[in-house]
Amino acid sequence: MAAPRGFCAGVDRAIEMVEKAIERYGAPVYVRHEIVHNETVVARLRGLGAVFVDELDDVPDDRPVLFSAHGVPKSIPAEAERRKLLYLDATCPLVSKVHIETERHHKRGAHVLLIGHAGHPEVEGTMGQLQGGAMTLIETEEDAERFEPPAGTPLAYVTQTTLSVDDTIKIVRVLRRRFPEIWVPHKDDICYATTNRQEAVKAIASDADLLFVVGSPTSSNSLRLVEVGQRAGCPVGRLIENVGAIDWTMVEGLSPTIVALTAGASAPESAVQGVVAGFRERYDVTVEEVETTREDVEFKLPRELV
């Protein structure tokens, strides 16, 4: 088992904000999009009185609404203020840092490149910090090679916080080779939790026959853990929501079997322990936890909920 794994500080804060909002304002409390990418978490909060909606149009005027940990375009809080909605922003502070960097680069006159994955809510939120045309999304090394900057305009780049560290380094190398004067982030945008979980997987993957990553298929950081583990030497990697998603025939063909187990930053530890319990029901199991670093990061709740 990899350590660290599972919830990061931003996810902890976002979930607690929903819980505290329900306590303070009563149910229902509305949440625009999933507060984090994990169906187990979302289902539990739904049971407490959270209502998850796609857009603000689905939120009544007299109920509070929270924005997800992934961040939102500037147009969303602007619309909430226009409607005089009570809103709470659960954007992870490390995502907010990227938003601030993006605006700072723009004010300095730069065209901003965002390294990330199209369609991800965090990317949509970051791209929505600036007017159309002020940013370009770079998904691959090929995108970085093909990009042609606006004439006479300085460049800067920021990144999605949940990317593969190794893949991002390759894209950045292309950009810095092609554009030596490009402005870089003051500090890496890929968050501490993403980096730590990828390093922990690398530490266990090469010795394993199978890798299971507990997480949602919509979770970018969970998907990256599967990729990182396989590149580090594990022949088979699978993303699973919970123990019920395991194809046990994969395990039966191997004996003895070493299984690497971790969880994405939005997956609860209860789901991880459920996987361990599933193995114990079927096999004689020895559990070894490999810790590569310890995390002590905490993010404070907004004043409204304290």
Side-chain angles (χ1 to χ4, degrees):
M1 297 178 71
R5 62 179 178 272
F7 283 175
C8 63
V11 167
D12 272 331
R13 175 179 178 267
I15 293 170
E16 188 176 4
M17 283 182 65
V18 178
E19 294 168 343
K20 293 285 189 184
I22 294 169
E23 288 177 17
R24 177 154 189 175
Y25 303 111
V29 164
Y30 286 76
V31 183
R32 183 185 178 273
H33 294 176
E34 293 182 343
I35 189 70
V36 296
H37 279 156
N38 187 272
E39 184 52 40
T40 302
V41 171
V42 168
R44 185 180 70 81
L45 294 174
R46 192 179 283 121
L48 295 177
V51 178
F52 295 90
V53 297
D54 290 331
E55 296 299 343
L56 291 185
D57 291 345
D58 302 315
V59 180
D61 291 338
D62 60 346
R63 298 308 302 162
V65 59
L66 285 90
F67 304 147
S68 84
H70 304 106
V72 295
K74 274 189 169 181
S75 59
I76 300 302
E79 172 63 11
E81 290 176 5
R82 186 193 68 78
R83 289 182 54 192
K84 296 183 171 55
L85 292 176
L86 172 60
Y87 71 88
L88 299 162
D89 190 353
T91 300
C92 173
L94 298 179
V95 175
S96 296
K97 178 184 81 71
V98 176
H99 291 180
I100 292 167
E101 283 181 339
T102 299
E103 283 202 276
R104 187 176 71 242
H105 288 314
H106 181 62
K107 287 177 180 176
R108 295 167 68 190
H111 183 85
V112 182
L113 306 181
L114 171 60
I115 302 172
H117 297 297
H120 190 278
E122 183 185 331
V123 167
E124 292 175 354
T126 301
M127 296 287 286
Q129 299 306 301
L130 303 181
Q131 296 296 320
M135 295 184 72
T136 299
L137 180 62
I138 302 291
E139 296 190 80
T140 63
E141 291 176 76
E142 290 73 23
D143 287 348
E145 291 283 7
R146 287 193 298 262
F147 171 72
E148 291 299 331
T153 303
L155 296 177
Y157 79 82
V158 296
T159 82
Q160 186 179 335
T161 64
T162 55
L163 299 177
S164 160
V165 174
D166 295 334
D167 287 347
T168 305
I169 287 172
K170 293 175 184 176
I171 294 172
V172 169
R173 282 177 181 158
V174 173
L175 292 176
R176 298 190 75 166
R177 169 175 54 77
R178 293 192 63 211
F179 312 109
E181 302 301 317
I182 193 169
W183 291 330
V184 304
H186 178 65
K187 186 179 180 183
D188 285 346
D189 290 334
I190 296 176
C191 81
Y192 78 94
T194 297
T195 302
N196 290 347
R197 280 149 190 72
Q198 289 180 19
E199 291 302 313
V201 163
K202 289 177 183 179
I204 62 174
S206 61
D207 295 325
D209 304 298
L210 292 169
L211 165 66
F212 287 117
V213 176
V214 181
S216 167
T218 57
S219 166
S220 175
N221 77 87
S222 300
L223 291 166
R224 302 293 83 74
L225 287 174
V226 177
E227 296 169 357
V228 168
Q230 290 184 283
R231 288 176 186 170
C234 186
V236 180
R238 292 290 185 272
L239 181 66
I240 56 172
E241 286 265 12
N242 49 46
V243 65
I246 294 177
D247 177 3
W248 293 103
T249 61
M250 294 173 55
V251 186
E252 290 163 7
L254 300 169
S255 180
T257 304
I258 299 176
V259 176
L261 179 61
T262 189
S266 51
E269 180 63 15
S270 60
V272 177
Q273 294 305 323
V275 172
V276 176
F279 272 92
R280 288 196 188 282
E281 289 174 5
R282 294 166 173 81
Y283 303 99
D284 178 20
V285 172
T286 300
V287 176
E288 177 187 356
E289 186 170 77
V290 178
E291 183 178 74
T292 53
T293 190
R294 292 195 176 186
E295 296 176 346
D296 57 3
V297 179
E298 293 183 11
F299 295 134
K300 294 180 179 179
L301 295 175
R303 288 192 303 272
E304 299 94 325
L305 297 178
V306 175

